[in-house]
Amino acid sequence: QVQLVESGGGSVQSGGSLSLSCSFSGYTGGRNYCMAWFRQTPGKEREGVAVIDSYGRTSVADSVKGRFIISQDNAKNTVYLRMNSLKPEDTAIYYCAAVFADGFYGLPSLSRHVYNYWGQGTQVTVSS
């Protein structure tokens, strides 16, 4: 089965930066993938942050646009999230997610319901 392994996260002051990474292993039979970052705080739904597919196409949430950058190393099956100009409201548990298929319609999705593999989550805390 597919496994996702995350690293990064931690505590940083407002205005600082952090980098997260997530790698997947396992064969699904699909030729392409989408890998995404989500975040969640207690009492709120998990929200999509950024996503990239195996062709390098990206979607980024309005709340982090201009501050967060998603990228990938396709040969390593690894996706990265560089978080700049962090704010206290960015504090959350960040999750990596993936979905595999032969092909995808349109740009990759930030909806959690299309992803069927998830990492364990990593904590990001931003203090003022």
Side-chain angles (χ1 to χ4, degrees):
Q1 193 76 316
V2 172
Q3 294 180 311
L4 276 62
V5 180
E6 302 172 335
S7 63
S11 183
V12 67
Q13 283 198 268
S14 181
S17 299
L18 284 173
S19 292
L20 308 178
S21 65
C22 176
S23 299
F24 70 84
S25 61
Y27 177 71
T28 69
R31 298 193 299 268
N32 297 287
Y33 64 79
C34 292
M35 295 189 70
W37 290 100
F38 291 78
R39 65 186 182 185
Q40 188 170 27
T41 56
K44 298 187 65 177
E45 286 193 33
R46 195 169 299 183
E47 65 171 339
V49 176
V51 57
I52 190 167
D53 68 13
S54 46
Y55 296 100
R57 300 179 297 185
T58 62
S59 295
V60 181
D62 289 340
S63 59
V64 303
K65 194 174 299 181
R67 299 188 296 119
F68 291 10
I69 302 170
I70 190 167
S71 62
Q72 67 183 357
D73 185 335
N74 193 274
K76 296 181 179 179
N77 295 330
T78 300
V79 64
Y80 306 93
L81 185 68
R82 179 64 176 176
M83 303 181 291
N84 299 311
S85 301
L86 283 162
K87 306 174 181 179
E89 51 263 42
D90 295 318
T91 296
I93 299 176
Y94 283 72
Y95 297 89
C96 179
V99 62
F100 301 85
D102 290 337
F104 295 96
Y105 173 78
L107 295 175
S109 175
L110 286 170
S111 173
R112 65 167 296 180
H113 302 291
V114 307
Y115 296 90
N116 55 358
Y117 296 101
W118 294 86
Q120 76 284 355
T122 184
Q123 180 181 340
V124 172
T125 302
V126 185
S127 60
S128 59

